[in-house]
Amino acid sequence: MNGAQALIRTLVGAGVDVCFANPGTSEMQFVAALDTVPSMRAILALFEGVATGAADGYARVAGRPAATLLHLGPGLGNGLANLHNARRAHSPVVNLVGDHATYHKKYDAPLESDIEAVAASLGWVRRSDSPAEVGADAARTVAAAQEPPGGVATLILPADVAWGDGGRAASPVPARVPRQVPETAVKSVAAILRTGEPTALLIGGAACQERGLRAVNRIATATGLKPFMETFPARIQRGAGLPAVERLAYHAEHVAYQLEGTTHVIVAGTKPPVSFFAYPGRASDLVPAGAQVHILAELGGDVVAALESLADEVAPGTLPVLQQARRSPLPRGPLTPRNWVEVIGALLPDGAIVSDESVTSGLLLPAATAGAPRHDVLPLTGGAIGQGLPVAVGAAVAAPDRPVIALQADGSAIYTISALWTMARENLDVTTILLNNRSYAILRTELQRVGAGRSGPKADELLDLSRPDLDFTKIAEGMGVPATRARTAEELAGQFSRAVAEPGPHLIEVILE
Amino acid sequence: MNGAQALIRTLVGAGVDVCFANPGTSEMQFVAALDTVPSMRAILALFEGVATGAADGYARVAGRPAATLLHLGPGLGNGLANLHNARRAHSPVVNLVGDHATYHKKYDAPLESDIEAVAASLGWVRRSDSPAEVGADAARTVAAAQEPPGGVATLILPADVAWGDGGRAASPVPARVPRQVPETAVKSVAAILRTGEPTALLIGGAACQERGLRAVNRIATATGLKPFMETFPARIQRGAGLPAVERLAYHAEHVAYQLEGTTHVIVAGTKPPVSFFAYPGRASDLVPAGAQVHILAELGGDVVAALESLADEVAPGTLPVLQQARRSPLPRGPLTPRNWVEVIGALLPDGAIVSDESVTSGLLLPAATAGAPRHDVLPLTGGAIGQGLPVAVGAAVAAPDRPVIALQADGSAIYTISALWTMARENLDVTTILLNNRSYAILRTELQRVGAGRSGPKADELLDLSRPDLDFTKIAEGMGVPATRARTAEELAGQFSRAVAEPGPHLIEVILE
């Protein structure tokens, strides 16, 4: 058995049986070894950012890591933005980066670069030194990725470690479970709630799924506490039959409004609220002045169990209030940022997974889909745009029986547009709603917010995506995905219904007025 | 004057008046300041790899740096692969990376990451701390980028340094010139040549342009020395009226053939030859066994002056032998990897700049274009694919009066495909020949070369770009570039002639049999 075979067998043994790959020469032995381990599925991406974003999306839905396969330092570079998002999502990702043979590195061949330095910016890194060790290294990498709350763990695989003989598959290293939250922390928060003082609860991570939401809603119902989700959780469960919890807003002034009058901020499974960006004259720390912060559960702690304990403590007999089923009525006429979301709200299929990178076009989405059938939302976590389509790929691989809906802004779509090709190759059931407003709309707002005043023609040019207009139907068809264009709500409704009903990928370009 | 204005004025004062930008919120003040400095030209890229590759192409043609503008760590990540290529090309690049405000970093907001660590993998890095210093920091960055032999210099620009008052533009820091090569090195190499022993000369960097080539050819003509260019120089001048110098091959066994029987290898402006990748049982060091290596000029040394001194020493009365004008005859019939290059050879316009990422499809290109009118070739330098189209963008901006021809393989085109949009927006005179063989053809060869044996169906799937076929005419049209498809040599000849005759960008998808 060579090193590559030992590596792949170890991964499969540890439950990692999907690999999103964009290989090169130094990874050819890994590629060849795939045919010797039938249960490893390899999926080709045409750009590394698609592979890394797909691994993130897969982890968010499957709850366990996929592997990537990247080609040396430049491949890692191309994958870095979506690995950053995965890091912020606390998604477990086994990030495999091929490298030159061990003895070749000293020659500083053209593709040589400092892979460790770049990978270390993401978290845990190991370089495998020999075929005999690569199995054990892989088992440690899988465990590192799953170390609560989850993260990116990189294994650097030199070519000769892959092709050398003497490989040994290793048994899985048991992954640690989330740390139990001490009963004292629960009691202490319960005492605060019993004072009746105005209190907000900010939840994140696993708390944004059903069990956590039910506990939070019981607590809020019984005590009057105001619950919020962190602005960008990795995965939100919502819709009819689940308790609805508002997300903290993106802009600092809206957060100030949400938290106004609060004297206690309880934080569970996330960090205290901070502004996404700094703006002149505005605070970065969004905890209201004078309010006290209390940590119920740190990142990596068992936030769901802590919330359930708290609910049993302060709301023993209380049942959660569940969102009623309620569909938006279908709107009519030309599509705008206000009405396209209502089409989605009216027609979202049951059990959908929504990869949401709709950015400014999606501001009204949460309201429009609140009463839709139960669904999962996978938001942009780290602010590195170009996440939406790759995450949709990974989600569809993880949940082949569920419809995946990618809500995708135009500007950010381009970074990883070849995700469409992978959707076509794998016949993934992804419906992409491409929101074309022909601009970096968010930056028009941000230009004002940083105090830059009125923009001149050169600044305007850098925020404008027309001249020429991007034609996403042609781009999608060029990548093998059937595409249509909608300019009215009626057109979008018809096209969306058909796309969802038909297996395989579709793209609908929504031209926003 | 705020920091952003001071920065831009300093750049313009130091001769950096083009900025390839993909900005975000933290760069908005820089964007706003562009309208206050009329002579700075800003060009929007829809992906950072386009911006960084364009800065590389610009530097190779203009001989001076352009600036980039990237959005925090993830933007740097997306730009990293083509910055790696620029580093290997020794292209001067002023790499501007926006960051959070200085006081905001401690909050670990979602886009926070270790920018320094990633940028340091490329070379020189500075973080500007105040509006008062950013001008001086920028002047030092420009000088660092131009430090011989040239490289990537990164300036990290916190948002509050950009928006803060008290900015002062700084005078340029004089850039150092290449180090003079000591006369003793020249004499010592001359003495070796006079022994008459079999000697090879390997040149790189500036030596691959006219003055260097003329000196090299005189030396070879007078002494019988075998001259070679490094495999991937940043810029080659060639064609009718210039001396032709063979490039060292990509594969080790071909290099062994080229250098066979050599007892001395003289190296000038590059490094001794090494294999691009390691292969089982093959040497990494490509200097023939028993041959001695002599360094005439180190990287960063004045290699052209050294070669001219050497020519005056060993070939005082010798004139260079120049390539005769000779056009390939136009081939006929279906297009193959053998005949498409002849169409280019037959029709390459005078003074063309060729951005060459044709990879396996272009193996016969050098022979087919050897006697074409004088032209420049910009090869892939660092092995990070996705360079060709962005480099063509930068070349066309640097030389608006010259026709730019991008010879682009299909697999590598996808990484930075939105370069086409920037070509359309800026109406750049770039003709892209997109060579579609529906596979990562180079990896089919490499799979065998690493000793992986016969590939199985899963391995084959990872090297195959069909299922679905990429339709590059649709993708190009979707990005605003007129596109046609050629299946025969006659079609390619007609479409290429028309594309070159007409201003603005065109793409011709060549379907290779």
Side-chain angles (χ1 to χ4, degrees):
Chain A
M1 190 183 335
N2 68 25
Q5 291 164 334
L7 168 58
I8 297 172
R9 289 186 196 192
T10 303
L11 293 177
V12 167
V16 179
D17 56 7
V18 172
C19 175
F20 296 99
N22 187 252
T25 295
S26 42
E27 294 75 44
M28 281 301 102
Q29 207 80 36
F30 184 102
V31 168
L34 287 167
D35 282 290
T36 69
V37 188
S39 47
M40 175 62 86
R41 178 177 178 191
I43 294 175
L44 180 60
L46 300 185
F47 173 68
E48 294 87 347
V50 175
T52 56
D56 180 10
Y58 179 93
R60 295 195 206 182
V61 172
R64 59 198 169 92
T68 66
L69 183 64
L70 311 178
H71 184 47
L72 299 105
L76 176 60
N78 282 334
L80 202 65
N82 273 334
L83 289 171
H84 169 87
N85 287 325
R87 175 170 77 91
R88 291 300 185 180
H90 305 295
S91 294
V93 173
V94 173
N95 187 39
L96 299 180
V97 183
D99 195 8
H100 284 309
T102 51
Y103 59 84
H104 194 65
K105 290 188 71 66
K106 67 179 175 189
Y107 295 104
D108 193 36
L111 270 165
E112 180 66 32
S113 71
D114 191 346
I115 299 175
E116 270 89 346
V118 176
S121 75
L122 296 162
W124 194 94
V125 187
R126 177 177 290 265
R127 170 182 290 278
S128 196
D129 293 325
S130 76
E133 288 299 316
V134 69
D137 290 332
R140 284 188 206 102
T141 307
V142 177
Q146 294 179 303
E147 176 75 24
V152 177
T154 298
L155 179 63
I156 302 172
L157 179 66
D160 56 337
V161 171
W163 76 51
D165 284 333
R168 288 196 300 256
S171 302
V173 173
R176 273 189 281 197
V177 295
R179 289 184 299 279
Q180 202 182 338
V181 169
E183 192 59 25
T184 51
V186 175
K187 299 275 189 204
S188 149
V189 169
I192 292 160
L193 295 179
R194 290 194 186 102
T195 65
E197 293 175 3
T199 300
L201 168 64
L202 180 61
I203 61 168
C208 302
Q209 298 178 43
E210 183 167 8
R211 277 179 56 200
L213 297 177
R214 293 177 73 93
V216 166
N217 186 279
R218 289 170 59 204
I219 299 164
T221 303
T223 69
L225 157 150
K226 284 163 71 179
F228 297 95
M229 280 184 200
E230 58 186 344
T231 311
F232 297 110
R235 179 179 179 180
I236 306 167
Q237 292 187 323
R238 67 195 299 273
L242 285 168
V245 172
E246 193 180 341
R247 281 163 73 180
L248 215 61
Y250 173 73
H251 281 143
E253 56 271 38
H254 301 153
V255 175
Y257 175 78
Q258 289 175 308
L259 299 182
E260 198 178 356
T262 300
T263 54
H264 300 280
V265 176
I266 297 162
V267 177
T270 182
K271 294 184 302 182
V274 300
S275 180
F276 199 88
F277 289 109
Y279 301 97
R282 293 206 176 96
S284 294
D285 181 348
L286 301 186
V287 175
Q292 277 187 288
V293 173
H294 312 272
I295 306 295
L296 173 63
E298 302 266 6
L299 276 172
D302 191 344
V303 58
V304 173
L307 289 166
E308 288 180 339
S309 292
L310 183 60
D312 291 344
E313 183 79 22
V314 299
T318 310
L319 289 175
V321 179
L322 305 181
Q323 170 69 48
Q324 297 296 306
R326 177 176 51 77
R327 288 286 200 177
S328 308
L330 271 173
R332 299 179 167 277
L335 284 162
T336 69
R338 299 192 70 82
N339 68 9
W340 77 266
V341 297
E342 294 169 6
V343 178
I344 304 303
L347 300 173
L348 190 70
D350 190 22
I353 300 172
V354 178
S355 175
D356 182 13
E357 196 173 54
S358 54
V359 197
T360 52
S361 299
L363 285 176
L364 301 174
L365 184 72
T369 54
R374 186 182 164 126
H375 58 281
D376 285 82
V377 178
L378 311 178
L380 175 59
T381 48
I385 57 176
Q387 180 206 265
L389 298 177
V391 158
V393 165
V397 170
D401 298 329
R402 295 177 63 182
V404 176
I405 316 294
L407 305 177
Q408 182 60 55
D410 51 354
S412 42
I414 290 292
Y415 292 72
T416 49
I417 191 71
S418 68
L420 294 172
W421 183 88
T422 299
M423 292 177 194
R425 162 161 292 201
E426 301 292 329
N427 198 34
L428 302 178
D429 195 15
V430 180
T431 299
T432 298
I433 306 291
L434 197 303
L435 301 152
N436 191 342
N437 60 17
R438 304 174 208 84
S439 72
Y440 288 125
I442 193 168
L443 295 184
R444 292 195 194 282
T445 313
E446 295 292 76
L447 191 71
Q448 305 307 315
R449 289 173 54 82
V450 300
R454 282 171 78 111
S455 58
K458 284 160 71 177
D460 283 342
E461 186 80 356
L462 289 188
L463 311 184
D464 175 271
L465 300 180
S466 67
R467 301 192 302 278
D469 282 336
L470 288 156
D471 181 334
F472 283 96
T473 64
K474 282 192 172 166
I475 294 170
E477 288 170 358
M479 297 205 176
V481 170
T484 54
R485 182 174 287 142
R487 293 179 183 278
T488 66
E490 292 85 343
E491 287 170 357
L492 175 57
Q495 293 170 16
F496 184 65
S497 298
R498 281 191 294 278
V500 166
E502 202 176 283
H506 297 81
L507 181 139
I508 303 167
E509 183 175 23
V510 170
I511 306 294
L512 291 175
E513 299 226 328
Chain B
M1 187 180 343
N2 67 25
Q5 292 165 333
L7 168 58
I8 298 173
R9 289 187 196 191
T10 303
L11 292 178
V12 167
V16 179
D17 56 7
V18 171
C19 176
F20 296 99
N22 186 252
T25 296
S26 43
E27 293 71 57
M28 280 303 102
Q29 207 80 36
F30 184 102
V31 167
L34 286 167
D35 282 290
T36 69
V37 188
S39 47
M40 176 62 86
R41 179 177 178 190
I43 294 175
L44 180 60
L46 300 186
F47 173 68
E48 295 87 346
V50 175
T52 57
D56 180 10
Y58 180 93
R60 295 195 206 182
V61 172
R64 60 198 170 90
T68 65
L69 183 64
L70 311 179
H71 183 48
L72 299 105
L76 176 60
N78 282 334
L80 203 63
N82 273 333
L83 290 170
H84 170 87
N85 287 324
R87 176 170 77 93
R88 291 300 185 179
H90 304 293
S91 294
V93 173
V94 173
N95 187 40
L96 300 180
V97 183
D99 195 8
H100 284 309
T102 51
Y103 59 84
H104 193 66
K105 290 187 72 63
K106 67 179 175 190
Y107 295 104
D108 192 37
L111 269 165
E112 180 66 34
S113 70
D114 191 345
I115 299 175
E116 270 89 347
V118 176
S121 75
L122 297 163
W124 193 95
V125 187
R126 178 176 288 266
R127 170 182 290 278
S128 197
D129 294 324
S130 76
E133 288 299 317
V134 68
D137 291 332
R140 285 189 205 102
T141 307
V142 177
Q146 294 179 304
E147 175 76 23
V152 177
T154 299
L155 179 62
I156 302 171
L157 178 66
D160 56 337
V161 171
W163 77 51
D165 283 332
R168 288 196 300 256
S171 303
V173 173
R176 273 190 281 197
V177 296
R179 291 184 296 279
Q180 202 182 339
V181 169
E183 192 60 25
T184 50
V186 175
K187 297 277 189 203
S188 150
V189 168
I192 291 160
L193 295 178
R194 289 193 187 103
T195 64
E197 291 175 5
T199 301
L201 168 63
L202 181 61
I203 60 169
C208 302
Q209 298 179 43
E210 182 166 10
R211 277 178 57 200
L213 298 177
R214 293 178 73 93
V216 167
N217 187 279
R218 287 170 60 204
I219 299 164
T221 303
T223 68
L225 156 151
K226 284 162 73 179
F228 296 97
M229 279 182 199
E230 58 186 345
T231 310
F232 296 110
R235 178 179 180 181
I236 306 167
Q237 292 188 323
R238 65 194 301 271
L242 286 168
V245 172
E246 193 179 341
R247 280 164 73 180
L248 215 61
Y250 173 73
H251 282 143
E253 57 270 38
H254 301 153
V255 175
Y257 176 79
Q258 288 175 309
L259 298 182
E260 197 178 355
T262 300
T263 54
H264 300 280
V265 176
I266 297 162
V267 178
T270 181
K271 295 184 302 182
V274 300
S275 181
F276 199 88
F277 288 109
Y279 301 97
R282 293 207 177 95
S284 293
D285 181 349
L286 301 186
V287 176
Q292 278 186 287
V293 173
H294 313 272
I295 306 295
L296 174 62
E298 301 266 7
L299 277 171
D302 191 344
V303 57
V304 172
L307 288 167
E308 288 180 337
S309 292
L310 183 60
D312 290 345
E313 183 81 21
V314 300
T318 309
L319 289 175
V321 180
L322 306 180
Q323 170 70 48
Q324 299 296 305
R326 178 176 53 77
R327 287 286 199 177
S328 308
L330 271 174
R332 296 177 169 280
L335 284 162
T336 69
R338 299 191 70 82
N339 69 9
W340 77 266
V341 295
E342 294 169 7
V343 177
I344 304 303
L347 300 174
L348 192 70
D350 191 21
I353 300 173
V354 178
S355 175
D356 182 13
E357 196 172 53
S358 52
V359 199
T360 53
S361 298
L363 284 176
L364 301 173
L365 184 73
T369 54
R374 186 180 164 130
H375 58 282
D376 287 81
V377 178
L378 312 178
L380 175 58
T381 48
I385 58 176
Q387 180 206 265
L389 299 177
V391 157
V393 165
V397 170
D401 298 329
R402 295 177 63 182
V404 175
I405 316 293
L407 305 177
Q408 182 61 54
D410 50 355
S412 41
I414 291 293
Y415 292 72
T416 49
I417 192 70
S418 69
L420 294 171
W421 183 87
T422 299
M423 292 178 193
R425 164 163 290 201
E426 299 293 329
N427 198 33
L428 302 178
D429 194 16
V430 179
T431 299
T432 298
I433 306 291
L434 198 301
L435 301 153
N436 191 342
N437 61 17
R438 304 174 208 84
S439 72
Y440 287 124
I442 194 168
L443 294 185
R444 293 195 193 281
T445 312
E446 296 291 76
L447 191 72
Q448 304 308 316
R449 289 173 53 82
V450 300
R454 282 170 77 113
S455 57
K458 281 160 73 178
D460 282 344
E461 186 79 357
L462 288 187
L463 312 184
D464 175 271
L465 300 180
S466 67
R467 301 193 302 276
D469 283 336
L470 288 156
D471 181 333
F472 283 96
T473 64
K474 282 192 173 165
I475 294 171
E477 287 169 359
M479 297 207 176
V481 170
T484 54
R485 181 175 289 143
R487 294 179 182 277
T488 66
E490 291 86 342
E491 287 169 359
L492 176 57
Q495 292 170 17
F496 184 64
S497 299
R498 282 192 295 278
V500 166
E502 202 176 281
H506 297 80
L507 180 140
I508 303 168
E509 182 177 24
V510 170
I511 306 294
L512 291 176
E513 300 226 326

